[in-house]
Amino acid sequence: MPALPTSSNADPHSVSAGSGDLYFDGGERSCGELLIKLKFLINDLDPGQVLHLHTDNEGFVMDASAWCKLTGNELLQATPPDYLIRKAAPA
């Protein structure tokens, strides 16, 4: 799979709004709202594409990890407030 775009001067633990194929700012939405939105956003992507989700919800890190394990999608990065999730290929 292709690597995500990076800059040689970039902090390896941070992501920019341009990372990923689709960017969504979840703001301060609740975990439940974010998970529902995440499902619809991922459905709109092709397998292998990456969603960059930004949220100020501090508890979302645990939900993102669990959701990816349940759905088979890949959590590439979970560095609050930013998450990179790669859509899985169909089973």
Side-chain angles (χ1 to χ4, degrees), residues 1-89:
M1 297 203 181
L4 294 173
T6 59
S7 166
S8 59
N9 297 327
D11 176 350
H13 301 291
S14 67
V15 294
S16 68
S19 297
D21 298 292
L22 178 64
Y23 176 81
F24 176 70
D25 185 347
E28 295 182 6
R29 287 177 172 84
S30 71
C31 289
E33 289 175 300
L34 287 169
L35 290 172
I36 291 168
K37 186 67 176 176
L38 177 57
K39 182 192 180 342
F40 287 106
L41 291 167
I42 287 289
N43 283 349
D44 288 342
L45 294 176
D46 292 327
Q49 286 189 308
V50 175
L51 170 67
H52 175 180
L53 186 140
H54 175 92
T55 180
D56 296 324
N57 182 324
E58 294 177 6
F60 189 68
V61 67
M62 293 173 54
D63 288 338
S65 177
W67 185 85
C68 286
K69 287 178 184 174
L70 287 171
T71 62
N73 295 294
E74 182 180 2
L75 184 58
L76 299 173
Q77 182 172 337
T79 310
D82 293 292
Y83 303 84
L84 294 177
I85 301 169
R86 178 177 289 137
K87 182 173 181 173

